[in-house]
Each structure stands twice: as C-alpha cells, then as structure tokens.
C-alpha cells in the first residue's frame, strides 16, 4: 500500500489538520538544498497496525498531506520518502502515535491531530542524531559528557572499546545504538555476545537445555533490549535471526555482515577468545566491546583479552577507545559512592 502526497492548504471538513510546518515543496532554486531522505520505521506492535493507520488508512493519509511525504506500509514497516525535514517530522509523528496507542489502546482523529501538534512543537532533530529509541515515552540520550563521547565514538568508528565501572551505561547505550540503527535499516541485525564466566562463585550443574543453561549469563543483555522493544517484537526478531543473544563461544567460524555486534563483559575473555571475536567482523558491520577491567573473573594466571587487545590495537586508525569513570554512573546515587569507596580502598592498599 503506497500513499503519495497531495496538497493540504487549509483546514478541511474531513479532519485534515492545518499544517504546523511548511508543507510546500522548495522553489526550483532551492531544490539542491533539500536533501532527499528515505527512512523505514518498524512498528513496535504490527498487530495494532489497523488501529494505528485508522479506517481506510485515514491517519496515514493525514500524515501524508500534512508532512508532504510518500508513505508505503508493508509487513509491519512504514517507509517514508521525501525532503529530509519532512521525513524527520513524519517519523516523529509516527513515534508519538505509537506511544499514544500503547498507552491508551486507541488512535482516533483527536489523537492523530494531537500527535501532529506535539511533533510540530518539538525542535527538529539534527540529521546526525544517532539515538531514536524511547523508553516509556522518553527518548534515550547520553546523560554525561563521557556517555556523549561514547555514543559519538560508536557513530564515527566501526570498532569501539569502552571500559569503566558498573552503572556507566556501557552496555545499555551500545544496545540503544544498535536498536536505533536497526530501526533506520542502517544495519540488518543485532548480535549480542557474552563470555559464560561465573562471577567468582561456582554455580555447579545447571538444569535444562542449552538455552536454559546460558540464559543467566545473557540476562543483562535481554533486560536492556526489553526496555527498548516490546517482548513480542523481540521474540519475533529472535525467531527470524534479526536479533541474536549468544554465548561468545558460539561465534567461532562465523562472518557477521551488516550487523552491530556487541561483546559485553569483555574483561572475562581470554586473549584467544578476543582475537576470535574481533575477526568475525564482516562488511558494513560495527563492533562495540565493553568491559570493566576492575572486575576480572578469569582464573589466576589468565590474561584478560580486553586489556591485551587495548594494548595491541591502540595505534590502529579507525578504532576508538573510551574510558568512562565513576562520574558517568547513572544508576542509583549510592552506586557512584560505592564504586568510589572501593576505588579509594584499593588505592590505599597499594600505597
């Protein structure tokens, strides 16, 4: 189903709202300034698309006329094409519509008009805005200077190493970047990996099949995903191999193209495991390696692959290294104080 733009010059009896931004095409001498943009929005809940689109796709037709964009809806996805600012505004309206539908279970004409007004009131997002992921209606954004540097490093580089204490958002922001790129169709899949290393205690025999055995190690990655996507959408993407959450050992022998690959808890990899992971990178892929080098759970005498890799690769162009500190901790305020207290105690022990 494709809807092409038509002109909506003034309020109409059928409910077409007054444009809140200029829907007119640029003059001939301004055409070169308007950069065309194609954007695909993946619906949070495709099962509710009939409610979202409205009777006979009425809501999409209003969106088309107000924003002056081409709209194609197919298989739980909406493709927008047109001038960059118009497409950006249309994407904002769709995001607000989905939030409203999730909160109230409905999307009537009044809700549609309110979404348009709210989007018009928002400042336009710069084309370089990298995160377009929302949690409970609030956009995920870096909250410290260190986190901003981290997100910018992921945007500009194909391989990023991020280290720092617990609570600094190393994993959470990497997952948010991956989900944002997937929504924009700049990558085709997300791969989340973790070494299956026990944190200083022996868990013994774990019952269940292989997935049940490794699930406790992968739970933090699934928790981050669950904040940003509906469970039904995560399940569907995992069944279709669009999202993979796997133990590091399962990556041997693979080449990952068109993916953002995140290795979490990388301080618990061996040197051989880190080499194996880094050489999985394929065409059009990015890798983010995160870890806390103060919490290494490897057996005595084993060198951390994370520390080894950062020493070996630091001089290679195109690889970014980001160090987050206790000032970047964004969990409960006590976490920052706890981390600082342990660091101070450790320093006194070495003096």
């Amino acid at each position: 189903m494709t809807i092409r733009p038509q002109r909506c010059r003034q309020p109409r009896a059928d409910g077409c709202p007054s444009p809140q931004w200029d829907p007119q095409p640029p003059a001939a001498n301004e055409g070169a300034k308007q950069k065309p943009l194609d954007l695909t929005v993946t619906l949070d809940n495709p099962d509710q698309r009939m409610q979202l689109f409205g009777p006979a796709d009425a809501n999409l037709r209003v969106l088309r006329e107000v924003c002056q964009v081409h709209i194609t809806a197919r298989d739980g996805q909406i493709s927008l094409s047109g001038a960059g600012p118009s497409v950006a505004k249309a994407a904002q309206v769709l995001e607000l519509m989905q939030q409203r539908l999730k909160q109230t279970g409905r999307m009537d004409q009044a809700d549609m008009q309110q979404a348009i007004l709210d989007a018009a009131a928002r400042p336009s997002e710069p084309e370089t805005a990298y995160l377009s992921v929302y949690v409970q209606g609030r956009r995920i954004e870096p909250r410290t200077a260190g986190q901003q540097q981290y997100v910018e490093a992921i945007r500009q580089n194909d391989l990023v190493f991020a280290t720092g204490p617990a609570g600094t958002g190393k994993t959470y922001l990497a997952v948010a970047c991956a989900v944002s790129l997937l929504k924009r169709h700049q990558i085709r899949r997300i791969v989340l990996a973790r070494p299956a290393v026990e944190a200083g205690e022996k868990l013994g025999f774990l019952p269940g099949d292989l997935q049940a055995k490794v699930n406790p190690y992968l739970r933090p990655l699934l928790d981050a995903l669950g904040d940003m996507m509906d469970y039904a959408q995560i399940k569907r993407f995992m069944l279709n191999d669009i999202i993979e959450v796997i133990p590091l050992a399962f990556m041997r022998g693979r080449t990952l193209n068109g993916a953002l690959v995140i290795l979490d808890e990388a301080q618990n990899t061996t040197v051989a495991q880190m080499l194996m992971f880094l050489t999985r990178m394929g065409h059009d892929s990015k890798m983010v390696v995160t870890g806390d080098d103060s919490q290494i759970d490897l057996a005595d005498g084993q060198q951390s692959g994370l520390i080894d890799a950062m020493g070996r690769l630091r001089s290679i162009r195109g690889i970014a290294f980001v160090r987050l500190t206790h000032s970047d901790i964004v969990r409960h305020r006590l976490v920052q104080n706890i981390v600082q207290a342990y660091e101070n105690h450790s320093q006194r022990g070495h003096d």
Side-chain angles (χ1 to χ4, degrees):
M1 178 265 291
T2 301
I3 302 177
R4 299 189 179 279
Q6 297 175 354
R7 206 55 46 85
C8 179
R9 302 181 183 276
Q10 58 188 5
R12 301 184 336 193
D14 63 0
C16 179
S18 299
Q20 300 300 314
W21 55 86
D22 184 8
Q24 303 294 331
N29 61 346
E30 296 179 350
K33 300 178 183 178
Q34 292 289 331
K35 185 178 179 180
L37 179 65
D38 295 316
L39 181 67
T40 300
V41 177
T42 299
L43 298 181
D44 293 338
N45 190 348
D47 293 337
Q48 292 184 310
R49 60 184 179 276
M50 299 298 292
Q51 296 158 275
L52 186 72
F53 296 170
D57 300 324
N59 293 339
L60 293 187
R61 296 179 189 279
V62 171
L63 184 64
R64 168 204 68 188
E65 295 181 4
V66 171
C67 297
Q68 286 294 286
V69 293
H70 296 277
I71 301 176
T72 302
R74 184 179 297 114
D75 297 332
Q77 296 178 334
I78 300 177
S79 298
L80 307 171
S81 60
S86 298
V87 169
K89 280 299 181 185
Q92 283 188 344
V93 174
L94 280 171
E95 194 74 48
L96 291 169
M97 289 168 63
Q98 293 192 84
Q99 291 174 25
R100 179 68 175 175
L101 183 59
K102 186 182 299 184
Q103 292 167 359
T104 67
R106 72 171 196 273
M107 176 54 56
D108 56 25
Q109 188 179 86
D111 294 323
M112 178 67 192
Q113 293 190 10
Q114 189 60 51
I116 291 174
L117 291 172
D118 290 347
R122 284 184 176 184
S124 296
E125 295 180 6
E127 291 186 11
T128 55
Y130 203 60
L131 292 177
S132 56
V133 183
Y134 293 78
V135 174
Q136 297 179 346
R138 179 176 54 83
R139 179 179 172 139
I140 297 175
E141 293 180 338
R143 295 170 60 181
T144 68
Q147 289 186 347
Q148 181 64 54
Q149 179 190 3
Y150 179 34
V151 171
E152 187 65 16
I154 294 175
R155 186 180 75 85
Q156 293 185 354
N157 299 274
D158 288 340
L159 177 57
V160 177
F161 288 85
T163 56
T168 50
K170 303 182 297 294
T171 303
Y172 199 83
L173 286 174
V175 173
C177 288
V179 172
S180 183
L181 288 174
L182 185 66
K183 288 175 64 176
R184 298 179 182 196
H185 282 237
Q186 293 177 339
I187 58 173
R188 298 195 304 272
R189 60 199 306 223
I190 299 172
V191 180
L192 309 174
R194 229 183 185 214
V197 176
E198 296 163 348
E201 54 185 325
K202 297 298 181 182
L203 299 180
F205 174 77
L206 293 175
D209 60 14
L210 183 60
Q211 188 61 44
K213 293 177 190 295
V214 301
N215 187 64
Y217 300 106
L218 305 177
R219 190 75 243 175
L221 297 173
L222 291 168
D223 288 344
L225 269 178
D227 275 357
M228 304 169 200
M229 303 173 70
D230 289 338
Y231 172 75
Q233 188 177 30
I234 295 173
K235 185 176 180 180
R236 186 173 66 253
F237 280 2
M238 292 181 75
L239 286 173
N240 294 328
D241 285 335
I242 296 173
I243 294 178
E244 273 191 274
V245 186
I246 56 174
L248 176 60
F250 286 24
M251 298 188 65
R252 188 174 301 278
R254 302 180 62 184
T255 300
L256 300 170
N257 297 316
L260 195 152
V261 189
I262 299 170
L263 175 58
D264 191 35
E265 295 291 330
Q267 77 275 5
N268 290 328
T269 61
T270 64
V271 174
Q273 286 174 327
M274 179 61 74
L275 174 61
M276 180 272 291
F277 172 80
L278 294 176
T279 53
R280 301 308 97 197
M281 181 186 286
H283 297 293
D284 302 318
S285 287
K286 288 177 176 286
M287 282 187 165
V288 181
V289 180
T290 71
D292 180 358
D293 50 10
S294 70
Q295 295 185 358
I296 298 176
D297 300 312
L298 294 171
D300 292 342
Q302 280 193 303
Q303 186 177 8
S304 168
L306 174 63
I307 295 175
D308 176 77
M310 290 193 299
R312 292 175 187 265
L313 307 179
R314 195 166 290 275
S315 62
I316 298 179
R317 293 178 59 186
I319 302 177
F321 299 86
V322 179
R323 178 74 184 181
L324 299 173
T325 68
H326 63 86
S327 63
D328 297 304
I329 293 175
V330 292
R331 289 180 185 167
H332 192 287
R333 64 173 183 82
L334 287 178
V335 175
Q336 190 175 71
N337 297 334
I338 291 169
V339 171
Q340 187 65 58
Y342 271 83
E343 288 181 354
N344 292 341
H345 182 79
S346 176
Q347 288 172 2
R348 286 198 298 270
H350 290 299
D351 292 341

